[in-house]
């Protein structure tokens, strides 16, 4: 039977029972840990009981986890195998499983032989085992019945009477094992509590994975459909643009064919007229049709000429198609995003809370310094050599800085800025109560503002007059700023390839925050 074959494979060759705490030697053979250590205790050299390979020193006994798991699963599936692992020593006619082992007699007993066995205290009964030597004193060959707490070793009765343990604190094995059992129970309680927490986490993760898989099916279908529609629309735009180019090319080809036909016709008329001009017979010349030469002197019947491809028309066709695609895509993305967020919010509010909203930021002209030019759309600032005749007000900066019109006092937001490739510029956030004059008014030179300074080929994080030199050389002019007001985090990213996280300020915001920008000579910043 298959179970018998498996039992042979997972049985120790020393005790002939299913492995208990199996270990594997370097030669590849496995034994019960107790069996191999007991066998080596009775030998003068270390060798494998099966292949007889010798070792200079005692090999390290590595537990064979796979073999241990197989043995445990086999015993669970075949509990009767565990009972018949050790047979009764006195049942010679048949293999009867032993229920107890007498360490004094060094024999295993079944229930019948156990009833007639001696009840003397010298006959110590334990669970069925074949490792007798391990339970006896090495010096007196007596059963280990006591425990010396001074030396932390199990001893026999003669060790107390004749050995060096006469003045030591000695307890019975049962009494000495109770404190250790109590520690084990405490450890077991701790591990049980930890396992319950781990089980709960595992169940939550399994539920989360199931929800993610269910959502993933729908989102994959939506994404596939969306991408397919985009491809179809792009193919339609491509077809339109290429069709327009082909139409214009065909128009030129038609003009070429007409001009070739006209050339042939003109050549024929020229030959005929030349022939008439060379005739000596005046009658034939006078009888020639006037249209042969009058039309040549008259209007121009040449086909309308063209000046190459109409790039403007092609560009308009392409742009119109792309605008339609973008409009359709924005609508689809908005609907899909809202729907997906609503579904995710039902199962994971944490994911929904991690959404950052894009914010439209405008610059406040009333806070801009007089040598700062603000664009008409209130999106860009640049350096001016000549100061503007703006009125000096309490909210206007004296240095080249400006704040935004709106502020942020809650939520998660992000926006992008573009800075000049060279020069000195700074972008970040500030409280409205920031000073407007002197060094204390500069972004990052006070405890009311946080900024990222781009100074030629360096990036600096500045706040409260402290400067952190970032280990990064600018590679892109585009930056993205993330604000999580409740978490007190202001993060800066460089939108290159790949996107690079530059720095994150962590604090507790106490006032509404305004977008703050500053520039140096011949530099600019655009939101």
């Amino acid at each position: 039977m298959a179970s018998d074959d498996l039992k042979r494979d997972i049985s120790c060759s020393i005790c002939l029972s299913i492995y208990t705490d199996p270990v594997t030697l370097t030669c590849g053979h496995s034994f019960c840990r107790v069996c191999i250590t007991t066998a080596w205790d009775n030998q003068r050299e270390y060798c494998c009981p099966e292949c007889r390979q010798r070792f200079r020193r005692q090999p390290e006994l590595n537990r064979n986890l796979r073999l241990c798991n197989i043995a445990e699963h086999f015993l669970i599936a075949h509990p009767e195998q565990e009972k018949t692992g050790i047979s009764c020593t006195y049942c010679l006619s048949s293999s009867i499983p032993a229920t107890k082992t007498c360490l004094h007699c060094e024999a295993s007993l079944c229930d019948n032989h156990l009833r007639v066995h001696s009840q003397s205290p010298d006959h110590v009964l334990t669970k069925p085992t074949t490792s007798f030597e391990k339970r006896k004193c090495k010096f007196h060959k007596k059963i280990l019945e006591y425990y010396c707490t001074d030396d932390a070793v199990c001893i026999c009765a003669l060790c107390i009477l004749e050995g060096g343990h006469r003045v030591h604190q000695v307890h019975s094995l049962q009494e000495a094992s109770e404190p250790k059992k109590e520690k084990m129970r405490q450890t077991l309680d701790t591990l049980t509590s930890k396992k319950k927490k781990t089980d709960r986490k595992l169940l939550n993760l399994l539920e989360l994975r199931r929800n993610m898989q269910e959502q993933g099916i729908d989102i994959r279908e939506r994404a596939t459909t969306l991408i397919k529609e985009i491809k179809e629309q792009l193919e339609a735009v491509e077809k339109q643009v290429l069709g327009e180019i082909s139409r214009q090319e065909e128009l030129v080809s038609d003009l070429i064919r007409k001009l070739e036909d006209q050339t042939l016709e003109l050549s024929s008329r020229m030959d005929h007229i030349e022939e008439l001009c060379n005739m000596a017979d005046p009658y034939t010349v006078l009888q020639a049709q006037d249209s042969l030469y009058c039309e040549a002197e008259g209007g121009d019947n040449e086909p309308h000429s063209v000046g190459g491809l109409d790039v403007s028309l092609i560009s308009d066709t392409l742009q119109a198609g792309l605008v339609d695609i973008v409009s359709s895509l924005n609508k689809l993305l908005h609907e899909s995003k809202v729907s997906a967020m609503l579904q995710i919010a039902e199962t994971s509010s944490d994911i929904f809370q991690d959404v950052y909203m894009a914010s439209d930021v405008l610059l406040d002209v009333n806070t801009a310094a007089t040598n700062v030019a603000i664009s008409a759309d209130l999106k860009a600032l640049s350096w001016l050599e000549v100061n503007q005749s703006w009125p000096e007000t309490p909210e206007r900066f004296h240095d080249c800085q400006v704040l935004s019109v709106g502020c942020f006092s809650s939520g998660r937001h992000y926006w992008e800025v573009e800075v000049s490739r060279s020069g000195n510029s700074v972008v970040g956030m500030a409280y409205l109560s920031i000073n407007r004059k002197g060094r204390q008014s500069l972004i990052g030179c006070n405890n009311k503002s946080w900024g990222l300074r781009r100074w030629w080929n360096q990036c600096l994080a500045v706040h409260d007059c402290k400067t952190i030199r970032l280990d990064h050389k600018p590679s892109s002019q585009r930056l993205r700023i993330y604000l999580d007001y409740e978490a007190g985090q202001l993060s800066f990213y460089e939108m290159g390839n790949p996107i690079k996280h530059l720095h994150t300020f962590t604090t507790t915001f106490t006032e509404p925050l305004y977008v703050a920008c500053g520039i140096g000579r011949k530099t600019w910043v655009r939101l």
Side-chain angles (χ1 to χ4, degrees):
M1 294 176 64
S3 61
D4 294 335
D5 295 336
L6 178 59
K7 181 183 176 182
R8 284 193 295 271
D9 292 336
I10 59 175
S11 296
C12 175
S13 60
I14 297 177
C15 66
L16 303 179
S17 301
I18 296 175
Y19 286 116
T20 301
D21 191 15
V23 294
T24 301
L25 306 183
T26 55
C27 61
H29 294 109
S30 300
F31 308 92
C32 299
R33 185 183 295 272
V34 174
C35 295
I36 189 63
T37 53
T38 303
W40 283 342
D41 288 342
N42 300 326
Q43 295 178 0
R44 294 183 179 180
E45 59 183 9
Y46 300 108
C47 65
C48 175
E50 287 198 29
C51 65
R52 311 308 297 176
Q53 179 179 342
R54 297 181 180 181
F55 308 102
R56 293 182 178 179
R57 62 185 65 180
Q58 181 174 341
E60 182 180 357
L61 300 178
N62 297 318
R63 190 182 187 195
N64 192 323
L65 293 176
R66 183 178 295 277
L67 193 56
C68 182
N69 292 334
I70 294 174
E72 290 178 357
H73 285 90
F74 180 82
L75 289 175
I76 294 174
H78 304 84
E80 69 281 356
Q81 299 292 340
E82 185 177 17
K83 297 179 181 178
T84 60
I86 299 177
S87 301
C88 178
T89 306
Y90 302 108
C91 294
L92 302 177
S93 60
S94 62
S95 177
I96 304 299
T99 57
K100 293 290 183 179
T101 294
C102 178
L103 300 179
H104 180 79
C105 301
E106 297 188 5
S108 297
L109 310 171
C110 64
D111 290 333
N112 293 329
H113 287 97
L114 186 63
R115 294 190 188 98
V116 297
H117 188 71
S118 174
Q119 301 298 321
S120 171
D122 294 337
H123 294 263
V124 179
L125 299 176
T126 65
K127 291 182 179 181
T129 180
T130 57
S131 303
F132 301 106
E133 292 297 328
K134 192 174 183 66
R135 302 296 297 266
K136 289 187 176 183
C137 177
K138 294 181 180 179
F139 304 102
H140 305 103
K141 302 303 179 182
K142 297 293 183 180
I143 298 173
L144 301 173
E145 301 178 80
Y146 301 96
Y147 182 79
C148 176
T149 56
D150 293 349
D151 294 338
V153 64
C154 296
I155 58 178
C156 67
L158 290 178
C159 291
I160 301 175
L161 299 175
E162 302 175 0
H165 302 275
R166 285 175 292 182
V167 296
H168 292 175
Q169 189 74 21
V170 176
H171 300 279
S172 66
L173 294 180
Q174 181 67 27
E175 183 182 357
S177 64
E178 287 302 324
K180 191 169 185 179
K181 286 184 178 180
E182 183 61 28
K183 291 183 180 179
M184 291 180 178
R185 293 188 189 98
Q186 295 176 0
T187 303
L188 182 61
D189 292 340
T190 302
L191 294 176
T192 302
S193 176
K194 188 174 182 180
K195 184 178 182 298
K196 288 181 179 179
K197 293 180 181 179
T198 304
D199 290 341
R200 285 196 298 269
K201 290 181 180 180
L202 178 60
L203 289 175
N204 292 336
L205 286 175
L206 290 173
E207 180 67 17
L208 178 60
R209 184 179 68 177
R210 186 183 66 81
N211 293 334
M212 290 176 63
Q213 289 174 346
E214 292 177 356
Q215 295 168 6
I217 295 174
D218 181 54
I219 294 175
R220 284 190 182 94
E221 292 178 355
R222 293 187 182 187
T224 302
T225 303
L226 180 62
I227 294 173
K228 183 179 179 180
E229 291 179 0
I230 294 173
K231 287 181 178 179
E232 291 175 354
Q233 294 179 12
L234 285 173
E235 289 174 356
V237 173
E238 180 185 19
K239 187 176 180 180
Q240 282 183 321
V241 173
L242 297 181
E244 179 60 28
I245 296 174
S246 299
R247 187 190 67 80
Q248 294 189 24
E249 290 176 346
E250 185 62 27
L251 178 62
V252 174
S253 299
D254 291 341
L255 292 177
I256 290 174
R257 286 193 293 269
K258 290 180 180 180
L259 288 175
E260 288 176 346
D261 293 341
Q262 189 174 5
T263 300
L264 292 175
E265 182 184 355
L266 291 174
S267 298
S268 176
R269 291 174 60 187
M270 288 172 60
D271 292 340
H272 187 48
I273 293 173
E274 184 178 359
E275 182 182 354
L276 291 174
C277 290
N278 295 328
M279 275 190 179
D281 183 7
Y283 177 78
T284 304
V285 174
L286 292 174
Q287 292 298 319
Q289 296 180 1
D290 295 340
S291 60
L292 289 174
Y293 55 89
C294 292
E295 189 173 324
E297 296 175 356
D300 186 8
N301 293 327
E302 294 181 359
H304 179 69
S305 60
V306 294
L309 286 175
D310 190 347
V311 180
S312 298
L313 180 58
I314 297 173
S315 178
D316 291 342
T317 303
L318 177 60
Q319 184 176 0
L322 293 178
V323 168
D324 291 341
I325 292 176
V326 171
S327 300
S328 176
L329 179 60
N330 286 335
K331 182 179 179 181
L332 289 172
L333 284 177
H334 176 73
E335 294 175 353
S336 300
K337 187 176 182 180
V338 171
S339 176
M341 284 185 178
L342 290 176
Q343 292 180 3
I344 294 173
E346 294 176 356
T347 55
S348 178
S349 59
D350 293 338
I351 298 177
F352 186 74
Q353 291 174 358
D354 285 338
V355 175
Y356 284 80
M357 304 301 293
S359 300
D360 188 20
V361 180
L362 300 177
L363 300 176
D364 187 357
V365 179
N366 294 325
T367 63
T370 55
N371 58 343
V372 172
I374 304 297
S375 61
D377 60 357
L378 304 180
K379 289 285 189 179
L381 64 153
S382 57
W383 167 271
L384 282 179
E385 293 288 349
V386 181
N387 291 345
Q388 302 173 93
S389 57
W390 284 344
E392 183 173 350
T393 58
E395 63 264 30
R396 190 176 303 282
F397 285 103
H398 275 219
D399 289 281
C400 302
Q401 297 183 160
V402 63
L403 297 180
S404 63
V405 174
C407 63
F408 304 94
S409 57
S410 64
R412 293 178 171 90
H413 309 272
Y414 79 89
W415 57 94
E416 291 189 5
V417 297
E418 187 176 1
V419 298
S420 54
R421 187 175 297 277
S422 60
N424 185 10
S425 62
V426 59
V427 294
M429 305 206 76
Y431 294 148
L432 190 62
S433 58
I434 186 175
N435 292 334
R436 307 306 166 98
K437 297 181 181 180
R439 179 172 176 77
Q440 286 294 319
S441 67
L442 298 177
I443 300 172
C445 293
N446 49 72
N447 61 357
K448 297 185 177 183
S449 60
W450 299 259
L452 180 75
R453 184 176 298 278
R454 292 279 296 262
W455 188 70
W456 295 97
N457 64 340
Q458 296 183 26
C459 287
L460 309 172
V462 291
H463 170 64
D464 199 12
C465 298
K466 298 177 182 177
T467 300
I468 301 175
R469 189 182 301 275
L470 306 181
D471 187 18
H472 175 72
K473 291 186 178 181
S475 58
S476 173
Q477 295 177 254
R478 290 177 57 227
L479 301 172
R480 179 171 288 184
I481 304 173
Y482 287 89
L483 169 65
D484 188 339
Y485 191 93
E486 282 76 13
Q489 292 184 342
L490 181 64
S491 303
F492 298 85
Y493 289 81
E494 185 179 77
M495 304 304 290
N497 188 16
I499 297 175
K500 173 73 174 179
H501 172 250
L502 301 179
H503 187 73
T504 295
F505 291 104
T506 302
T507 184
T508 300
F509 299 123
T510 58
E511 299 179 30
L513 290 169
Y514 292 75
V515 177
C517 302
I519 55 175
R521 293 179 61 86
K522 298 181 180 180
T523 58
W524 53 268
V525 173
R526 181 168 184 81
L527 301 175

